[in-house]
């Protein structure tokens, strides 16, 4: 549904209040009064058959009496009446609605059915709905209080969206007390229609919004949420407070991976992948958002603590240490400069204690020196009122000192009435203030976390990508043979993994003691013997593993012991014999690599410490497929095991590139087979740097959707690859853009003529900045089409041209761009590329594609006419616009 109707929701000119009342205390009365009291300048239309006028406004008897095209209807009637009201709204072409009514899905199946009917009716008329069961929306900047909250918060640049009306009330009260301002304040309720993904897209495109705050209890449309968040978090911070961190919310599971990948941990992984900062309290939500909205991002975590009291400085330092950070180390030059004017007994370290008799001038000069240091990424100024302290003068000095600097500066003025005026001065200058050092430092570290996350989002993967082969057909045959809801035998699990290129331990099965001895002699000693049973997951727990078998006698005794022990611990378990493998003596490391299918986020990859201590040490990290080598390396870096894997004391380092490859292979396996519910490779043994899977387990269960719809992040679309021949006879592979193409895009840019660069970028640029490269190569395949033309006859990978269609948040309209290197122009490559892009866009549901070109770019107009674009003069002088409609009877041709 269209984002344009969301614009009507938040910028209405005509509002109907359905269920308006003249009776004080009724919600319909409060809504109408709040709209008027906020100073709404548009038209208010109360609707209720019981009244002819309310508060001096003419009251209409029914929705059918409304004029056509009302922007917003606020519905405050019993839920049972809402279906008919929404139907009438659709007939009158109302653009949006806020349903404050309760009694929907939160009360049970009957309410859920009512909500479903409301949604079906609304979709027929593209009516956007906020709610039900919500407070409404507030926009101070346009004097809109379309809610039953009686007071309007101040204007600010933070947008707040909450699922909980109670949380909204509490936060509004806090905001009024603390003078916190908002651009948008949205109680989203049950999210029948408008959801968190819609709001992120809408707010992300609003220049008045500098940061987005979310209070979340659950999500709907997880894929849309991830797509929107990954797009918007690159340009403005998204901070979320999600309830439900407790272990009680985790799902039961039968594997190590499932037990360690609880629901809340999956949300953490998803937020991290999307570049979202997660906080733990309402207090942190606003502390963090205020700092991000007012101050530039830090380059790192090196914080200088400038204080006139030692105690608060220590408190700030302790908070840094608690979260694994240290204060910035002062360089010799900085200490020397401070020595020139500070008393001889100042701290001469960070925290910089400039002593209790510090004057405003001493504060200002010390701050200026810190601002000039290259070893400092942010500055916390702490003031405690003392006999000689002048809080107002110090505040003014701080405001003066920071002008022209790009360090994040924030303040902790400790005290009450004595510091109130100075806080006003700091806040008016855009300097966030905090009541305690701990809150200030925690807000800064969240800012560092966002900055680091943004840095990771903009990181370019390594150029080298070794080809990885997969035998999908073999894996498919093996998986199909596994009963639905069943566990693959370890032999089958190993075979599936081997089909996808995993290094799997050679394993043979023996069903008798004699057969075990024969296999042992064939493999050679030493060996490992493990129980084979479809009913026993944890073999070690039942004495089902015997190590370091060195002779026939050892094998005979081990077989007898395993069978007897299994029968004793689990008498009704099916015993299929034993598995025999080579024994890896004293491996350097043991890791776990696994996956679990989450009901909401789809497959989740887990990496961590393996072996028998997996769940005891609980050292693990979670990631979402699709994953490339860069994401695989980041996943490993989140664990303590990563430090060991780089080599520890006399142990050699693991082959980290091999582990990256194993993670990316697992990602592809999960992409190809949604029916994999759980997968364990535990342990993966690492000896002399090399990894080998010693034990594996795969659980298969039914799925509702086919690949790739089971993923919350769209994977690389292999189906969009094609082979073409240029008019010059050149063999070309057309394929979607990959993140690893960044280096090849640079190579293409470096051979472009200044004229071609000017035509493509509408200006002269000398190089592609990292941010541009990331934008060009890290594609959200759900909302963008981007294809490259690769020369199949070249000795090295060479991109000849690029075409893309960047979609809006609805995925209905997109803007195209196309670029071909000068040496290959005139061979029809641009037309082939853009033609293929249009076909993919049409398949994805795009309706309109347009582009802007300079009038002097005659080649683009010729290409446009060839593909069927309509060409018109643009409203901007010197430009023309090309437009094509997709779908219906329109056929895209690139012949």
């Amino acid at each position: 549904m269209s984002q344009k109707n969301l614009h009507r929701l938040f910028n209405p000119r005509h509002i109907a209040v359905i269920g308006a009342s003249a009776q004080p205390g009724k919600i319909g009365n409060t809504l109408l009064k709040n709209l008027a009291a906020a100073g709404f300048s548009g038209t208010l239309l109360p609707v209720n058959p019981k009244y002819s006028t309310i508060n001096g406004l003419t009251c209409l008897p029914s929705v059918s009496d409304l004029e056509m095209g009302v922007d917003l209807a606020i519905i405050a009637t019993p839920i049972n009446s809402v279906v008919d009201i929404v139907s009438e709204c659709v007939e009158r072409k109302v653009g949006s609605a806020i349903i404050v009514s309760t009694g929907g899905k939160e009360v049970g199946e009957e309410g859920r059915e009512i909500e479903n009917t409301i949604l079906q009716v609304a979709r027929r008329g593209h009516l956007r709905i906020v709610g039900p069961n919500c407070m409404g929306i507030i926009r101070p900047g346009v004097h809109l209080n379309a809610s039953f909250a009686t007071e309007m918060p101040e204007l600010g640049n933070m947008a707040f969206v909450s699922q909980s009306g109670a949380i909204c009330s509490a936060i509004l009260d806090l905001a009024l007390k603390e003078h916190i301002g908002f651009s948008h304040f949205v109680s989203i309720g049950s999210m029948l229609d408008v959801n968190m993904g819609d709001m992120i897209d809408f707010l992300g495109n609003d220049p008045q919004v500098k940061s987005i705050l979310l209070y979340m209890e659950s999500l709907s449309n997880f894929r849309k949420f991830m797509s929107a968040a990954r797009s918007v978090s690159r340009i403005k911070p998204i901070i979320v407070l999600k309830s439900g961190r407790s272990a009680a919310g985790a799902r039961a599971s039968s594997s190590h991976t499932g037990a360690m990948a609880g629901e809340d941990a999956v949300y953490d992984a998803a937020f991290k992948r999307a570049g979202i900062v997660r906080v733990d309290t309402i207090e942190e939500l606003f502390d963090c958002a205020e700092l991000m909205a007012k101050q530039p991002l830090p380059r790192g975590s090196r914080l200088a603590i400038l204080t006139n009291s030692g105690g608060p400085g220590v408190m700030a330092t302790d908070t840094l240490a608690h979260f694994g950070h240290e204060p910035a180390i002062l360089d010799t030059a900085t200490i020397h400069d401070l020595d020139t004017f500070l008393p001889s007994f100042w701290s001469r370290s960070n925290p910089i204690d400039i002593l209790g008799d510090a004057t405003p001038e001493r504060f200002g000069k010390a701050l200026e020196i810190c601002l000039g240091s290259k070893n400092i990424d942010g500055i916390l100024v702490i003031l405690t009122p003392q006999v000689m302290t002048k809080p107002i003068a110090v505040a003014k000095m701080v405001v003066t000192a920071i002008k022209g600097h790009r360090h994040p500066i924030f303040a902790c003025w400790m005290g009450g009435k004595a510091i109130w005026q100075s806080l006003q001065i700091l806040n008016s200058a855009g300097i966030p203030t905090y009541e305690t050092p701990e809150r200030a430092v925690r807000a800064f570290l969240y800012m560092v976390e966002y900055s680091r996350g943004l840095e990771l989002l903009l990181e370019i993967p390594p150029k080298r990508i070794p080809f990885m082969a997969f035998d999908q057909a073999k894996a498919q045959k093996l998986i199909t043979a596994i009963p639905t809801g069943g566990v693959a035998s370890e032999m089958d699990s190993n075979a599936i993994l081997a089909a996808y290129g995993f290094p799997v331990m050679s394993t043979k099965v023996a069903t008798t003691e004699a057969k075990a001895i024969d296999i042992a002699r064939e493999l050679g000693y030493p060996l490992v013997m493990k129980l084979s049973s479809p009913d026993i997951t944890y073999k070690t727990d039942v004495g089902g593993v015997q190590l370091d078998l060195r002779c026939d006698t050892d094998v005979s005794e081990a077989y007898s012991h395993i069978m007897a022990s299994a029968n004793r611990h689990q008498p009704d378990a099916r015993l299929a014999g034993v598995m025999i493998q080579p024994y890896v003596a004293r491996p350097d490391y043991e890791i776990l690599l696994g996956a679990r299918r989450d009901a909401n986020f789809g497959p989740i990859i887990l990496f961590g410490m393996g072996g028998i201590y997996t769940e005891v040490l609980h050292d693990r990290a979670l990631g979402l497929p699709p994953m490339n080598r860069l994401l695989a390396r980041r996943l490993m870096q989140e664990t303590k095991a990563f430090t060991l894997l780089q080599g520890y004391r006399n142990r050699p380092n693991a082959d980290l590139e091999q582990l990256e490859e194993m993670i990316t292979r697992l990602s592809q396996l999960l992409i190809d087979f949604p029916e994999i519910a759980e997968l364990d490779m535990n342990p993966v043994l690492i000896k002399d740097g090399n990894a080998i899977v010693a034990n594996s387990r795969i659980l298969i269960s039914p799925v509702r959707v086919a690949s790739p719809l089971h993923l919350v992040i769209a994977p690389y679309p292999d189906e969009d690859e094609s082979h073409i021949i240029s008019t010059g006879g050149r063999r070309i592979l057309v394929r979607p853009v990959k993140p690893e193409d960044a280096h090849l895009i640079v190579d293409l840019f470096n051979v472009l003529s200044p004229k071609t660069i000017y035509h493509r970028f509408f200006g002269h640029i000398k190089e592609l900045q990292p941010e541009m490269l990331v934008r060009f190569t890290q594609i959200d395949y759900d909302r963008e089409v981007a294809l490259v033309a690769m020369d199949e006859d070249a000795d090295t990978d060479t991109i000849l041209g690029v075409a893309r269609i960047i979609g809006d948040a609805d995925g209905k309209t997109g803007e195209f761009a196309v670029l071909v290197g000068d040496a290959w122009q005139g061979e029809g490559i641009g037309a082939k590329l853009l033609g293929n892009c249009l076909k993919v866009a049409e398949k994805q549901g795009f309706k309109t594609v347009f582009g802007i070109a300079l009038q002097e770019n005659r080649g683009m107009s010729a290409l446009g006419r060839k593909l069927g674009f309509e060409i018109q003069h643009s409203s901007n002088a010197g430009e023309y616009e090309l437009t094509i409609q997709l779908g219906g009877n329109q056929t895209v041709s690139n012949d």
Side-chain angles (χ1 to χ4, degrees):
M1 301 180 81
S2 175
Q3 288 273 315
K4 293 179 181 178
N5 278 341
L6 287 185
H7 179 79
R8 294 175 70 185
L9 170 69
F10 288 103
N11 298 276
R13 300 308 309 149
H14 304 276
I15 300 177
V17 180
I18 303 167
S21 173
Q23 186 175 344
K26 293 286 189 180
I27 288 181
N29 179 264
T30 301
L31 289 166
L32 201 59
K33 287 174 60 179
N34 288 350
L35 286 163
F40 177 68
S41 59
T43 304
L44 291 179
L45 303 164
V47 178
N48 194 324
K50 297 179 181 179
Y51 303 95
S52 57
T53 62
I54 300 178
N55 297 343
L57 298 171
T58 300
C59 188
L60 302 173
S62 73
V63 176
S64 298
D65 294 305
L66 288 172
E67 61 185 70
M68 297 289 282
V70 167
D71 296 304
L72 171 62
I74 308 174
I75 303 174
T77 63
I79 195 73
N80 292 326
S81 66
V82 173
V83 172
D84 291 337
I85 289 172
V86 168
S87 181
E88 291 180 284
C89 286
V90 168
E91 290 177 5
R92 304 308 294 169
K93 298 188 183 303
V94 175
S96 61
I98 298 171
I99 303 176
V100 301
S101 318
T102 60
K105 63 186 177 184
E106 72 273 10
V107 301
E109 189 58 34
E110 182 180 351
R112 186 181 301 277
E113 290 179 5
I114 292 173
E115 285 195 8
N116 289 339
T117 304
I118 291 170
L119 184 59
Q120 290 172 12
V121 172
R123 281 179 171 167
R124 292 203 295 264
H126 302 286
L127 175 74
R128 301 311 305 267
I129 293 175
V130 169
N133 191 16
C134 71
M135 280 179 57
I137 65 173
I138 301 174
R139 283 207 61 200
V142 295
H143 306 288
L144 175 67
N145 184 0
S147 80
F148 53 82
T150 54
E151 295 189 76
M152 174 83 81
E154 296 177 10
L155 177 63
N157 54 24
M158 293 189 295
F160 178 72
V161 184
S162 172
Q163 283 181 267
S164 166
I167 292 293
C168 284
S169 297
I171 285 176
L172 271 177
D173 187 58
L174 175 67
L176 292 167
K177 175 186 174 185
E178 300 291 338
H179 299 282
I180 299 170
F182 297 96
S183 61
H184 302 71
F185 193 93
V186 183
S187 170
I188 202 170
S190 299
M191 299 193 298
L192 174 62
D193 171 36
V194 176
N195 55 41
M196 289 291 184
D198 292 319
M199 289 307 309
I200 290 172
D201 269 325
F202 181 81
L203 297 169
N205 287 315
D206 189 330
Q208 295 179 343
V209 177
K210 300 303 181 185
S211 58
I212 300 172
L213 286 65
L214 308 175
Y215 173 79
M216 181 187 301
E217 294 172 350
S218 61
L219 276 175
S220 62
N221 202 327
F222 289 75
R223 186 154 169 163
K224 179 196 282 188
F225 172 83
M226 290 296 292
S227 177
R230 290 171 65 222
S231 174
V232 171
S233 65
R234 297 173 190 265
I235 56 175
K236 58 185 70 173
I238 303 172
I239 304 127
V240 63
L241 171 61
K242 185 192 176 298
S243 58
R245 274 195 180 275
S246 66
R251 293 179 174 83
S253 177
S254 60
S255 72
H256 288 292
T257 301
M260 295 176 68
E263 181 180 88
D264 195 66
V266 176
Y267 272 94
D268 271 338
F271 293 153
K272 190 172 296 184
R273 180 70 176 269
I276 294 173
V277 175
R278 183 176 186 177
V279 299
D280 295 322
T281 66
I282 292 174
E283 187 179 76
E284 290 178 349
L285 186 71
F286 284 102
D287 287 349
C288 176
E290 183 185 15
L291 184 53
M292 289 189 183
K294 292 181 178 180
Q295 291 290 305
L297 291 176
R299 295 170 299 182
S301 62
R302 300 173 300 178
L303 180 66
I305 303 163
L306 180 62
T307 176
N308 69 338
S309 177
V314 173
M315 293 162 64
T317 304
D318 286 346
T319 305
L320 280 172
H322 178 74
F323 292 102
H325 297 273
E326 295 289 336
I329 297 174
L330 303 183
D331 57 72
T332 304
T334 300
I335 293 175
H336 175 269
D337 291 343
L338 292 169
D339 275 337
T340 59
F341 70 95
L342 290 179
S344 59
F345 43 94
W346 76 280
S347 63
R348 303 197 83 251
S349 64
N350 188 14
I352 304 168
D353 185 355
I354 60 174
L355 307 177
D357 62 349
T359 62
E361 291 73 23
R362 190 186 297 175
F363 264 103
K365 196 166 184 179
L367 182 55
E368 286 180 1
I369 291 171
C370 291
L371 288 167
S373 173
K374 295 181 179 179
N375 290 346
I376 293 173
D377 299 316
I379 303 172
L380 167 60
V381 183
I382 301 176
L383 179 142
T384 58
Q386 300 187 43
V387 175
M388 299 182 64
T389 306
K390 300 178 180 178
I392 293 176
V394 173
K396 291 179 178 178
M397 185 65 71
V398 169
V399 171
T400 301
I402 67 170
K403 289 179 180 178
H405 290 282
R406 290 290 300 165
H407 288 73
I409 310 293
F410 50 110
C412 173
W413 254 232
M414 303 182 72
K417 186 176 180 180
I419 62 167
W420 185 82
Q421 281 186 282
S422 57
L423 293 179
Q424 296 295 103
I425 293 168
L426 293 169
N427 286 320
S428 297
I431 301 172
T433 59
Y434 301 93
E435 295 177 350
T436 66
E438 294 91 340
R439 284 179 62 178
V441 170
R442 192 70 188 105
F444 173 73
L445 292 180
Y446 277 127
M447 197 179 189
V448 170
E449 181 182 331
Y450 172 69
S451 183
R452 176 58 179 155
L454 186 61
E455 182 183 313
L456 293 176
L457 286 175
L458 299 178
E459 194 170 356
I460 296 172
K463 182 177 181 180
R464 187 172 65 85
I465 316 172
F467 175 75
M468 291 191 293
F470 308 101
D471 192 341
Q472 186 175 355
K474 182 178 180 181
Q476 179 72 67
K477 184 177 180 181
L478 290 162
I479 289 174
T480 302
I482 301 168
T484 300
V487 178
S489 69
E490 187 165 342
M491 295 296 290
D492 284 345
S493 293
N494 286 348
I496 293 167
L497 294 173
Y500 268 66
F502 287 90
V504 178
M505 186 82 74
S506 174
T507 305
K508 291 183 178 291
V509 175
T511 54
T512 66
E513 182 179 322
K515 183 63 175 176
I517 292 172
D518 289 342
I519 291 173
R521 290 172 179 172
E522 177 188 344
L523 292 177
Y525 294 104
L527 297 168
V528 175
M529 185 181 293
K530 299 186 295 186
L531 173 67
S532 177
S533 170
D535 302 319
I536 298 177
T537 298
Y538 302 122
K539 305 175 183 68
T540 304
D541 293 353
V542 299
V545 178
Q546 295 291 304
L547 307 174
D548 199 12
L549 309 180
R550 294 183 171 271
C551 62
D552 293 358
T553 302
D554 287 352
V555 171
S556 179
E557 291 176 353
Y559 187 92
S560 299
H561 173 83
I562 287 174
M563 290 301 172
S565 182
N567 276 313
R568 185 169 61 254
H569 284 86
Q570 205 163 324
D572 28 348
R574 291 169 292 171
L575 306 182
V578 296
M579 292 173 289
I580 301 174
Q581 299 173 329
Y583 175 58
V584 178
R586 293 185 298 278
D588 298 315
Y589 313 103
E590 294 185 20
I591 63 169
L592 161 68
L593 182 57
R596 171 174 79 80
R597 186 172 67 221
D598 182 80
N600 298 314
F601 288 98
I604 309 296
I605 292 174
L606 181 143
F607 176 89
M609 188 72 76
I612 62 174
Y613 302 112
T614 294
E615 292 176 20
V616 176
L617 298 177
H618 214 70
D619 177 36
R620 57 96 177 101
L622 305 181
L624 303 177
M627 300 194 80
N628 55 28
R629 285 180 171 271
L630 179 62
L631 293 171
R633 178 62 66 103
R634 290 182 197 159
L635 183 69
M636 293 190 292
Q637 288 172 340
E638 291 179 29
T639 65
K640 296 181 178 68
F642 184 74
T643 302
L644 297 174
L645 295 173
Q646 295 176 86
Y648 183 73
R649 293 189 175 177
N650 63 339
R651 296 189 181 186
N653 61 287
D655 185 342
L656 297 177
E657 289 192 0
Q658 182 193 21
L659 295 179
E660 290 172 5
E661 183 177 314
M662 291 175 70
I663 293 171
T664 54
R665 287 182 181 277
L666 177 57
S667 172
Q668 190 61 50
L669 180 63
L670 298 171
I671 291 170
D672 292 342
F673 297 102
E675 54 267 49
I676 295 177
E678 292 181 11
L679 186 153
D680 271 359
M681 288 177 270
N682 185 32
V684 176
L685 303 177
I686 300 177
K687 179 76 170 178
D688 298 327
N690 298 314
I692 188 166
V693 180
N695 189 64
S696 69
R697 178 182 179 279
I698 296 177
L699 170 65
I700 301 297
S701 69
V703 285
R704 291 174 295 176
V705 294
S707 177
L709 297 179
H710 66 301
L711 303 166
V712 291
I713 300 174
Y716 176 84
D718 296 278
E719 66 275 11
D720 294 336
E721 293 184 352
S722 63
H723 297 270
I724 62 172
I725 304 293
S726 74
T727 56
R730 195 185 306 272
R731 295 190 312 134
I732 295 172
L733 166 66
V734 175
R735 63 161 175 79
V737 171
K738 301 176 181 179
E740 294 83 2
D741 287 334
H743 303 278
L744 299 179
I745 296 289
V746 171
D747 292 341
L748 173 62
F749 180 85
N750 289 337
V751 299
L752 298 177
S753 67
K755 179 180 178 181
T756 297
I757 292 173
Y758 185 76
H759 283 171
R760 168 62 180 87
F761 298 101
F762 289 38
H764 297 290
I765 60 175
K766 294 183 178 180
E767 62 180 356
L768 295 177
Q769 297 299 319
E771 294 81 3
M772 296 177 69
L773 274 176
V774 168
R775 181 67 193 87
F776 291 158
T777 57
Q778 296 191 17
I779 307 301
D780 182 342
Y781 300 112
D782 273 339
R783 60 174 67 196
E784 182 175 353
V785 181
L787 301 177
V788 293
M790 305 290 299
D791 189 343
E792 293 192 277
D793 296 321
D795 295 331
T796 59
D797 288 342
T798 303
I799 291 180
L800 310 179
V802 188
R804 66 183 71 244
I805 297 173
I806 301 173
D808 60 14
D810 302 316
K812 302 300 181 185
T813 302
E815 181 177 3
F816 81 85
V818 62
L819 172 69
V820 177
D822 293 73
W824 309 290
Q825 293 175 9
E827 296 188 34
I829 296 173
K832 295 280 189 181
L833 271 175
L834 184 54
N836 280 23
C837 278
L838 292 171
K839 290 177 180 178
V840 175
E842 186 172 8
K843 180 182 66 175
Q844 291 185 192
F846 281 72
K847 299 300 182 185
T848 304
V849 173
F850 72 94
I852 305 295
L854 297 172
Q855 286 186 0
E856 64 191 70
N857 189 352
R858 299 177 184 272
M860 184 58 70
S861 61
L863 183 151
R865 283 191 292 271
K866 182 177 181 179
L867 294 177
F869 280 84
E870 179 183 342
I871 302 175
Q872 295 181 331
H873 288 290
S874 171
S875 56
N876 295 326
E879 298 177 359
Y880 61 88
E881 183 170 321
L882 303 90
T883 306
I884 191 169
Q885 302 300 322
L886 305 179
N889 297 321
Q890 176 70 45
T891 301
V892 177
S893 171
N894 60 350
D895 294 335

